[in-house]
Amino acid sequence: MNKVILLRFGELYLKGKNKGYFERILLKNIKENLKNFDCNVVKISGRYLVTDFDEMDCQSIIDSVSNVFGLASLSIADEIDTDIKGINEYISNFKTEAKTFRVTVKRADKTFPISSNDYERELGGYVLANNPNIKVKLKNPELELTVEIRENKKTYILTKEVTCVGGMPYGTSGRGLVLLSGGIDSPVASYMMAKRGMEIIGLHFHSFPYTSEQAKNKVKKLAKLLTVYTGHMTLICCPFTKIQEEIHKHCAPEFMITIMRRIMMRIAKIICDKYEAKAIITGESLAQVASQTVESINVSNDAQKTYPVFRPCIGMDKTEIINISQKIGTFETSILPYEDCCTVFLPKNPVIKPSLDKAIKEESKLNIDELINDALEQLEVDEV
Ligand code: ATP
Ligand code: MG
């Protein structure tokens, strides 16, 4: 008998002919996630298995692998040969303190000669014989003893299921460039797109010396926290000070943020070209602040039209975003009190419904191409 961890995947079964591709990437991601543990990961039909691990590592392996996108649930299981006598013997010796139970047989191996229903009844009888105070309860029993008879001629016996993060395997949905601030929302937006399989690279604008080195380090820390899910992350830091000073000097103050956003989008577009990203991601949520009204979003979308802008937080309340941020472990870092480039030169009365014509007219007072080229020459790229 071997102790194994049985991993179940989620939505992959929807993928028809491409299923093999998704399964291969998921296997690679699971192995990468567990690279610091002494263990093996293999794919069997319909499941993955973690085998040959030290029992001392079992909980740490579960904590780690349950964050791999594409996995729906996992269980610690005993693996035995698929042999009626052996399975019967195992179940006959099964002892439990539970007061109610059911046996669930999953017969993926259709050559197994007894139907699931019949075998559930038979195995249930053995449990009753060996545990005098227990009763059968088919709905919501205290204990569900699951017997999975799989095509590899092995049977897996388990009693608990741990929910995993779900989503699609990381790296199967192209690459996206997230505009990563030090706030609460953009790390959540990154997580949500990564969960749908999009590989995330980050772009952070800093306004040194108006913003501190600590503010930049905070963003690096956030990127690092996201690697729990993504494995690795490229973070690009782009200086924004000169651009902000020029907007401040030449443009109507109420358009400060609108024009900043438009320039961020243009720079993001160029970085997408260079890094072969196919979408821009932001943490915007409708109506959260003046720059996140539908009019502001339209004006910012107009600045580049090559790539779609994904805003996964758009329909969420702040409390909902905070809940996710706590769940994924970025909240405590996000609320550290460091300034963001958007808080520098913040106008008293930003336009809430900017007109595109007016924004274009205001920004025409700047030499935008030159400002962007200057900034692009000073990019810092980190692998976190
Ligand atoms: P967040 O919590 O993500 O900072 P926010 O609610 O503070 O969002 P804004 O500051 O208006 O909202 O920023 C909206 C979005 O613009 C952010 O979610 C982020 O995607 C992007 N953004 C803002 N500041 C920066 C920055 N310094 N560098 C990169 N992207 C930024
Ligand atoms: Mg912010």
Side-chain angles (χ1 to χ4, degrees), residues 64-81:
S64 183
V65 81
S66 61
N67 288 326
V68 173
F69 294 129
L71 293 179
S73 70
L74 61 80
S75 298
I76 301 175
D78 282 336
E79 180 190 69
I80 58 176
D81 291 333

Side-chain angles (χ1 to χ4, degrees), residues 77-362:
D78 282 336
E79 180 190 69
I80 58 176
D81 291 333
T82 297
D83 149 64
I84 296 179
K85 216 169 130 231
I87 301 173
N88 292 354
E89 198 178 302
Y90 180 104
I91 301 293
S92 299
N93 288 320
F94 184 82
K95 271 270 176 214
T96 173
E97 298 291 309
K99 295 275 175 288
T100 59
F101 85 107
R102 67 163 292 158
V103 175
T104 301
V105 171
K106 293 184 182 162
R107 194 175 56 119
D109 175 4
K110 298 300 175 200
T111 67
F112 189 78
I114 313 173
S115 81
S116 299
N117 274 341
D118 289 349
Y119 205 32
E120 282 174 0
R121 251 175 263 131
E122 181 179 341
L123 295 178
Y126 301 144
V127 176
L128 287 170
N130 198 32
N131 296 274
N133 296 324
I134 206 165
K135 284 200 183 69
V136 174
K137 185 169 178 246
L138 295 182
K139 271 203 184 126
N140 298 323
E142 221 178 290
L143 172 89
E144 182 170 9
L145 185 58
T146 301
V147 178
E148 294 203 14
I149 304 167
R150 308 233 47 110
E151 282 122 315
N152 59 347
K153 301 295 170 206
K154 298 280 180 195
T155 291
Y156 300 88
I157 302 171
L158 54 106
T159 57
K160 281 198 192 82
E161 226 176 276
V162 175
T163 306
C164 301
V165 270
M168 297 298 295
Y170 188 67
T172 56
S173 297
R175 185 175 295 143
L177 177 70
V178 64
L179 303 193
L180 193 62
S181 70
I184 295 168
D185 306 336
S186 47
V188 170
S190 313
Y191 170 84
M192 293 189 64
M193 296 317 301
K195 185 163 183 250
R196 294 307 301 165
M198 186 159 247
E199 187 195 339
I200 301 297
I201 56 176
L203 172 61
H204 174 65
F205 296 99
H206 64 86
S207 311
F208 192 75
Y210 299 104
T211 60
S212 61
E213 193 62 26
Q214 280 156 304
K216 199 158 62 172
N217 287 337
K218 178 185 173 186
V219 176
K220 283 187 191 161
K221 173 120 190 266
L222 287 169
K224 183 81 191 162
L225 289 171
L226 289 167
T227 65
V228 167
Y229 306 95
T230 63
H232 61 92
M233 183 153 164
T234 302
L235 178 67
I236 302 160
C237 289
C238 177
F240 211 55
T241 317
K242 183 79 196 301
I243 292 170
Q244 285 178 295
E245 285 171 346
E246 287 295 299
I247 305 172
H248 186 63
K249 210 178 330 170
H250 300 289
C251 308
E254 68 273 22
F255 273 84
M256 180 85 206
I257 302 274
T258 310
I259 296 171
M260 272 170 55
R261 285 259 171 269
R262 284 172 59 82
I263 297 181
M264 283 182 180
M265 285 297 171
R266 288 187 178 95
I267 293 176
K269 188 259 166 203
I270 295 167
I271 292 181
C272 281
D273 289 343
K274 184 164 168 201
Y275 284 83
E276 296 179 346
K278 298 188 182 84
I280 297 168
I281 300 158
T282 80
E284 288 161 303
S285 155
L286 190 65
Q288 198 185 80
V289 289
S291 63
Q292 298 176 23
T293 62
V294 67
E295 291 83 1
S296 295
I297 288 172
N298 277 334
V299 172
S300 121
N301 278 356
D302 168 82
Q304 71 76 35
K305 297 191 181 103
T306 312
Y307 300 104
V309 182
F310 292 158
R311 298 176 169 93
C313 301
I314 197 75
M316 285 198 261
D317 292 351
K318 194 74 187 187
T319 51
E320 293 172 302
I321 302 173
I322 288 174
N323 284 343
I324 298 177
S325 128
Q326 283 170 331
K327 193 185 84 186
I328 67 174
T330 52
F331 182 72
E332 296 301 328
T333 304
S334 286
I335 58 172
L336 293 175
Y338 296 123
E339 54 306 314
D340 179 45
C341 80
C342 292
T343 54
V344 181
F345 303 117
L346 199 66
K348 268 211 199 77
N349 298 305
V351 273
I352 291 170
K353 299 180 176 185
S355 98
L356 179 59
D357 291 347
K358 187 88 196 290
I360 291 172
K361 190 167 154 238
E362 285 302 318

